[in-house]
């Protein structure tokens, strides 16, 4: 029934945040099997497929993740049209996977498509809009557009400040973006402080062997970002 499906999805979310990707995948796939067997929601089935695509990204199976989320986007657009929250989320997910695959220009295009939906009158929760701003900041920085990266990171920071319950992990992403923006401006000491703030948030939330924690340790190990 629907409560079973939602429980499986929620467990998938929790295991994903714990970086237990194999367990997360099992629960998402179980949820998808139940939905498909009962035929009670094509919309929910497509949503679960996009979650599985994000798991593939976390496992570095980028091509599989892109294929699955792109399929979900195509079918969701046919089912619901183009201007809605569901399509917004799929644009964001595709941007996220492309960015982490290293195809930054493609990632920027999908983040931009998501961002523009608000201008078309789609109601986007502030927290979800902050995710897109973070994606735009990271991709803009990587492509060398540092002023635009700074602008979007400021917008993300402003939106995250009003979400005290859910903001912490994403505020760490924001601090991480600030670190590289500051480094580009020559403020290496300030950049290291931002990275340490992000690390403090991550280590309060995750185990020390979580990939996001490991990535920040790696950034802090760089000679020009060490605190003096």
């Amino acid at each position: 029934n629907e409560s079973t499906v939602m429980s499986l999805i929620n467990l998938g979310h929790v295991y994903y945040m714990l970086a237990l990707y194999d367990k997360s995948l099992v629960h998402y796939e179980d949820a998808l099997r139940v939905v498909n067997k009962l035929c009670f929601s094509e919309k929910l089935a497509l949503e679960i497929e996009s979650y599985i695509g994000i798991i593939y990204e976390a496992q570095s199976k980028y091509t599989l993740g892109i294929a699955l989320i792109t399929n979900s986007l195509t079918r969701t657009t046919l089912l619901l049209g183009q201007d809605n929250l569901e399509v917004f989320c799929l644009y964001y997910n595709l941007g996220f996977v492309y960015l982490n695959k290293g195809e930054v220009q493609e990632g920027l295009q999908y983040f931009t498509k998501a961002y523009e939906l608000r201008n078309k009158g789609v109601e986007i929760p502030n927290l979800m809009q902050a995710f897109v701003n973070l994606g735009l900041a990271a991709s803009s920085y990587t492509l060398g557009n540092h002023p635009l990266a700074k602008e979007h990171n400021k917008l993300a920071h402003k939106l995250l400040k009003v979400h005290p319950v859910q903001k912490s992990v994403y505020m760490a992403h924001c601090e991480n973006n600030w670190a590289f923006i500051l480094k580009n401006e020559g403020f290496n000491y300030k950049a290291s402080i931002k990275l340490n703030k992000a690390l403090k948030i991550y280590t309060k939330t995750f185990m020390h062997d979580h990939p996001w924690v490991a990535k920040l340790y790696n950034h802090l190990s760089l000679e020009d970002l060490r605190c003096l």
Side-chain angles (χ1 to χ4, degrees), residues 24-150:
S24 180
L25 182 60
V26 166
H27 285 82
Y28 286 144
E29 288 178 337
D30 284 347
L32 185 59
R33 274 193 290 270
V34 174
V35 170
N36 287 335
K37 182 178 180 180
L38 299 179
C39 301
F40 67 61
S41 177
E42 182 180 0
K43 176 183 169 183
L44 183 57
L46 293 171
E47 183 179 328
I48 297 168
E49 284 185 5
S50 74
Y51 297 150
I52 294 173
I54 293 297
I55 295 298
Y56 285 149
E57 179 280 327
Q59 296 175 328
S60 300
K61 300 175 182 177
Y62 301 110
T63 301
L64 286 173
I66 289 168
L68 198 56
I69 298 171
T70 300
N71 178 63
S72 295
L73 175 60
T74 301
R75 292 167 59 195
T76 298
T77 301
L78 289 172
L79 184 67
L80 302 175
Q82 291 185 325
D83 300 339
N84 52 70
L85 184 59
E86 288 77 8
V87 168
F88 170 92
C89 293
L90 291 167
Y91 281 153
Y92 170 79
N93 287 347
L94 275 172
F96 178 77
V97 177
Y98 274 116
L99 176 63
N100 289 327
K101 187 184 179 185
E103 296 183 17
V104 184
Q105 189 64 54
E106 288 79 2
L108 178 62
Q109 289 175 4
Y110 281 105
F111 287 136
T112 302
K113 285 182 178 182
Y115 185 77
E116 290 174 347
L117 282 182
R118 175 169 276 187
N119 297 331
K120 294 181 179 181
V122 179
E123 292 189 13
I124 310 296
N126 285 341
L127 187 62
M128 297 176 73
Q129 185 64 43
F131 299 167
V132 169
N133 285 121
L134 289 172
L136 285 165
S139 51
S140 297
Y141 176 85
T142 304
L143 291 170
N145 192 338
H146 300 143
L148 187 59
K150 196 170 184 177

Side-chain angles (χ1 to χ4, degrees), residues 106-226:
E106 288 79 2
L108 178 62
Q109 289 175 4
Y110 281 105
F111 287 136
T112 302
K113 285 182 178 182
Y115 185 77
E116 290 174 347
L117 282 182
R118 175 169 276 187
N119 297 331
K120 294 181 179 181
V122 179
E123 292 189 13
I124 310 296
N126 285 341
L127 187 62
M128 297 176 73
Q129 185 64 43
F131 299 167
V132 169
N133 285 121
L134 289 172
L136 285 165
S139 51
S140 297
Y141 176 85
T142 304
L143 291 170
N145 192 338
H146 300 143
L148 187 59
K150 196 170 184 177
E151 177 186 339
H152 281 295
N153 217 52
K154 282 182 178 179
L155 290 170
H157 189 269
K158 183 178 179 180
L159 292 168
L160 289 168
K161 284 177 70 176
V162 300
H163 287 273
V165 176
Q166 301 182 63
K167 74 176 185 180
S168 59
V169 170
Y170 300 99
M171 187 63 83
H173 296 343
C174 194
E175 297 287 4
N176 186 60
N177 285 345
W178 278 130
F180 287 94
I181 292 168
L182 288 166
K183 179 180 182 295
N184 177 69
E185 295 176 345
F187 299 111
N188 292 344
Y189 181 72
K190 289 182 178 179
S192 69
I193 291 174
K194 291 293 185 182
L195 284 178
N196 275 293
K197 284 184 177 180
L199 181 63
K200 186 176 181 181
I201 294 170
Y202 281 159
T203 52
K204 281 184 176 180
T205 308
F206 305 117
M207 301 293 288
H208 282 266
D209 59 351
H210 193 283
W212 294 350
V213 176
K215 184 179 288 188
L216 276 182
Y217 279 135
N218 182 58
H219 290 163
L220 281 164
S221 72
L222 300 175
E223 186 66 32
D224 58 355
L225 283 181
R226 289 179 184 165

